[in-house]
Amino acid sequence: MKSKRPTISDVAAAAGVGAATVDRVLNGRARVKPETARRILQAAEAINYRAANILRERVKEVEQQQKLGFLLLKQSCLFYQGLGRELKHASVQAGHQPVLTYMEDLRPDVLAAALDALAGKVDAVALPVADHPQIRQVVRALYERDIPVVTIVSDLGTAERMGFVGLDSRMAGRTAGWAVARLSQKPGKVGILLSSHRYACQDTCEVSFRSYFREKAQDFHVVEALISLEEPRLAQEGTLELLELHPDLVAIYVTGGGVEGVIDALRSSPRAQEITVVCNELTDLTRQALADGIVDLVISHPLPALAEKTVDMMVRAIGAGKGFRPEMVTLPFELFTAENIEPTGC
């Protein structure tokens, strides 16, 4: 009498999953988590399942290509266009499939819903995010569903996110303060523009910027911050307001989005050459503003390194599941002036 050959049901029982899950792995019918696929393979090999070789190849496929989701802010922003390109490139180079979504509506409830929707299509998500209760709630829910969330550029105050990749915002803010104090023609009032205090990176930049002047340059006065909400129009209006209200304004620090509006406002002002301007992120726009003397210093993320570190962290977090220990990857920022920029395309 021949012994009964192990069936899919036997593999499922040995692996502690349903028969449908084994079938999905065996036939590549739908996405299955790498750790689940590996457990099924181990169970199949242990009971000498006849299709273990096929399962082994399927597991390799699952491990080799993950769907990596990236939820980025406004596509009209040159910084996020560049970041999106680098994230796509890093994902493909690592053998994974990038899935990018850009958000024009930045209200927390809309972002939270978009994050939840994207997470249902991918194996892990990375995003720059405002630190808001609705978004933290979604991140916690995704953690329970074993979908890793990695924050980039700006961090989130919840232990359930799997890690952060970005700059040391405290160091960036103090460097901006040092630059303003050294480059300004004379002491005076200093304006500062933020997208929102909900972005932890910008909030920290402002605090550190102010602390530099309290400690090292007390003859300058940093006025109340203006909020741009990542909108160039609001940033332009805010800059014009600063110039009108403060005849003794000597500098402006732009910590986040909306720098396009700041540059437009200064181009139309006869006082542009009197104002020291420090902003974040080297793009074609800020590169030209440096060359034209509108902007004096750009503090920028190294985008290729940011993308590579993000993809690496996401993939490792997928494989480790809840056993992944959250990581903080701090990248050295790049500094650009009119003297060290290269022409576009070089």
Side-chain angles (χ1 to χ4, degrees):
M1 180 177 179
K2 291 184 178 179
S3 60
K4 181 182 175 183
R5 287 185 173 182
T7 64
I8 284 181
S9 296
D10 296 325
V11 175
V17 299
T21 302
V22 178
D23 181 71
R24 287 203 300 273
V25 176
L26 187 62
N27 295 290
R29 297 186 193 281
R31 186 167 56 88
V32 175
K33 295 184 185 303
E35 58 268 29
T36 301
R38 287 194 293 269
R39 191 165 74 247
I40 290 171
L41 174 60
Q42 291 168 359
E45 291 175 333
I47 65 175
N48 295 317
Y49 180 56
R50 67 185 185 281
N53 287 335
I54 297 175
L55 279 170
R56 192 173 297 110
E57 293 303 313
R58 292 286 185 263
V59 170
K60 286 181 182 178
E61 293 172 4
V62 170
E63 290 181 329
Q64 286 174 353
Q65 185 174 86
Q66 305 293 342
K67 285 188 176 180
L68 306 180
F70 303 100
L71 185 64
L72 303 181
L73 305 186
K74 296 174 177 285
Q75 191 169 15
S76 56
C77 175
L78 293 176
F79 169 68
Y80 286 112
Q81 290 178 21
L83 178 56
R85 287 192 296 270
E86 292 295 340
L87 288 168
K88 278 185 177 181
H89 178 73
S91 299
V92 172
Q93 287 294 105
H96 305 291
Q97 181 181 348
V99 180
L100 265 71
T101 298
Y102 287 92
M103 295 297 299
E104 295 298 322
D105 189 337
L106 303 184
R107 287 176 297 172
D109 58 329
V110 176
L111 283 169
L115 172 58
D116 187 58
L118 178 60
K121 305 172 186 176
V122 298
D123 299 290
V125 181
L127 74 164
V129 64
D131 194 353
H132 190 277
Q134 288 177 294
I135 296 173
R136 291 197 296 268
Q137 184 176 358
V138 174
V139 172
R140 293 187 188 107
L142 298 182
Y143 175 81
E144 294 303 323
R145 288 161 50 189
D146 289 328
I147 300 174
V149 175
V150 172
T151 55
I152 54 177
V153 181
S154 190
D155 202 5
L156 189 65
T158 177
E160 286 81 8
R161 63 100 173 91
M162 290 298 191
F164 167 73
V165 184
L167 304 182
D168 182 329
S169 297
R170 181 179 181 276
M171 190 179 295
R174 290 186 66 85
T175 299
W178 173 88
V180 165
R182 293 300 184 100
L183 296 175
S184 295
Q185 298 175 21
K186 60 183 179 179
K189 290 181 180 175
V190 179
I192 181 168
L193 280 83
L194 294 81
S195 298
S196 167
H197 284 98
R198 285 285 186 183
Y199 292 102
C201 63
Q202 296 182 35
D203 192 52
T204 302
C205 279
E206 181 194 6
V207 170
S208 304
F209 184 71
R210 292 180 182 277
S211 74
Y212 180 87
F213 288 101
R214 284 196 300 270
E215 296 172 25
K216 302 290 183 73
Q218 297 177 13
D219 46 353
F220 288 81
H221 172 65
V222 183
V223 302
E224 188 64 29
L226 297 179
I227 305 301
S228 71
L229 300 176
E230 298 276 338
E231 290 286 349
R233 177 184 59 80
L234 293 178
Q236 182 178 24
E237 293 172 358
T239 302
L240 293 173
E241 180 182 342
L242 282 172
L243 292 168
E244 181 179 354
L245 292 177
H246 305 291
D248 54 346
L249 187 78
V250 298
I252 297 174
Y253 175 35
V254 189
T255 70
V259 68
E260 301 94 335
V262 176
I263 292 171
D264 285 344
L266 289 171
R267 286 192 186 282
S268 66
S269 171
R271 295 174 58 193
Q273 298 303 317
E274 304 170 7
I275 308 296
T276 298
V277 178
V278 178
C279 67
N280 289 345
E281 313 310 346
L282 187 70
T283 65
D284 288 347
L285 179 76
T286 56
R287 180 186 284 108
Q288 187 62 53
L290 283 170
D292 294 343
I294 300 295
V295 170
D296 297 279
L297 180 71
V298 173
I299 302 172
S300 190
H301 283 82
L303 289 187
L306 173 62
E308 290 170 11
K309 295 292 186 182
T310 300
V311 168
D312 174 69
M313 186 181 293
M314 293 170 77
V315 173
R316 288 187 292 108
I318 294 168
K322 289 188 176 67
F324 188 80
R325 297 183 62 182
E327 298 178 0
M328 296 283 289
V329 175
T330 303
L331 302 169
F333 49 75
E334 299 175 329
L335 298 178
F336 295 95
T337 71
E339 299 303 323
N340 72 332
I341 54 173
E342 296 180 349
T344 304
C346 287

